[in-house]
Amino acid sequence: MSVTGIALILFLTFHGCMNMVALFSEEGYNMICEFLGANWYAVVATLGLAALAVIHIVFAFILTAQNRTARGDNRYEVATTVNPGKVEWASKNMLVLGIIILLGLLLHLYNFWYNMMFAELVGSYTQYDPADGFAWIVETFSSPVFVVLYIIWLAAIWFHLTHGFWSALQTLGWSGKTWLCRWKLIGFIYVTLLMLCFLIVVLAFAFKCAPSLC
């Protein structure tokens, strides 16, 4: 779960940087979308990414079930005997956050992957050309409902990753007493900047503030 989590964070980093291009150049962003269209390497990468996500989700449910079984009837008692201030909210609600993220992911796949890569693969052209990712961004975030849903989704991802970042490194043995606090700070800064990349794009297109829209 830790390995797949780190791999997914690296993908989000690439995705966030890619999205930022749309703020400055419609042509540049669409060139990236065309490069990552229904080409064999993009399809293979997408299948690999899907496998990582499925493994991560499956292990999340397995570990949650194992933890609850191990705690038995005392799982609620444990939460009351530990100082609540020392237990992160995200740590106690990782599964709930994960479910919200999964629902947001399904929405995101419908808005973009279904209308782009999938449409190109099956030859089903809809409102815009599958490679015109810029048009799909404009279309999606012209809806206030989608804007609000994406903001909620990004907030859930932020909570999930701020805990998951350092937790994954700790699980892999890359964190000791000295580095635990450092990884928490590094993770907080990194994840916050990463989520801001996505949020800025959502808000810029929602309020038509992106220079490429002018």
Side-chain angles (χ1 to χ4, degrees):
M1 188 173 180
S2 297
V3 172
T4 55
I6 292 173
L8 291 172
I9 290 176
L10 292 175
F11 166 74
L12 285 176
T13 302
F14 164 77
H15 197 356
C17 293
M18 170 185 165
N19 285 1
M20 292 295 288
V21 176
L23 295 178
F24 306 101
S25 173
E26 176 180 351
E27 181 181 355
Y29 182 76
N30 283 341
M31 285 178 61
I32 298 174
C33 291
E34 185 175 359
F35 177 75
L36 298 175
N39 301 301
W40 69 267
Y41 48 83
V43 173
V44 171
T46 301
L47 292 175
L49 182 63
L52 288 173
V54 169
I55 293 171
H56 192 76
I57 293 168
V58 169
F59 270 91
F61 281 100
I62 291 175
L63 291 176
T64 299
Q66 288 178 344
N67 288 338
R68 290 187 175 181
T69 300
R71 290 172 182 167
D73 297 331
N74 294 325
R75 60 178 179 269
Y76 298 109
E77 181 180 343
V78 172
T80 59
T81 56
V82 178
N83 184 356
K86 293 184 179 180
V87 181
E88 295 182 359
W89 181 85
S91 176
K92 295 185 292 184
N93 296 277
M94 287 295 278
L95 184 61
V96 175
L97 291 171
I99 293 174
I100 295 174
I101 293 170
L102 176 60
L103 294 175
L105 176 60
L106 295 176
L107 175 65
H108 186 63
L109 289 174
Y110 172 76
N111 284 334
F112 293 97
W113 180 82
Y114 175 77
N115 289 310
M116 296 175 68
M117 179 181 284
F118 180 79
E120 189 175 350
L121 284 171
V122 300
S124 175
Y125 288 64
T126 53
Q127 187 174 357
Y128 303 107
D129 187 281
D132 194 355
F134 188 88
W136 286 112
I137 294 180
V138 174
E139 174 71 18
T140 300
F141 298 125
S142 64
S143 168
V145 174
F146 282 144
V147 171
V148 171
L149 290 176
Y150 268 80
I151 291 175
I152 294 173
W153 185 40
L154 293 175
I157 295 175
W158 182 86
F159 276 110
H160 192 78
L161 294 188
T162 49
H163 171 78
F165 185 94
W166 64 263
S167 180
L169 296 175
Q170 185 181 48
T171 300
L172 294 174
W174 297 349
S175 174
K177 292 182 179 180
T178 302
W179 272 95
L180 180 59
C181 292
R182 294 177 183 176
W183 281 128
K184 285 186 176 183
L185 178 60
I186 292 172
F188 179 86
I189 295 173
Y190 186 87
V191 171
T192 299
L193 292 175
L194 179 58
M195 290 300 102
L196 281 176
C197 288
F198 288 97
L199 181 61
I200 289 171
V201 173
V202 172
L203 295 179
F205 279 85
F207 295 101
K208 296 180 173 59
C209 299
S212 47
L213 289 176
C214 300

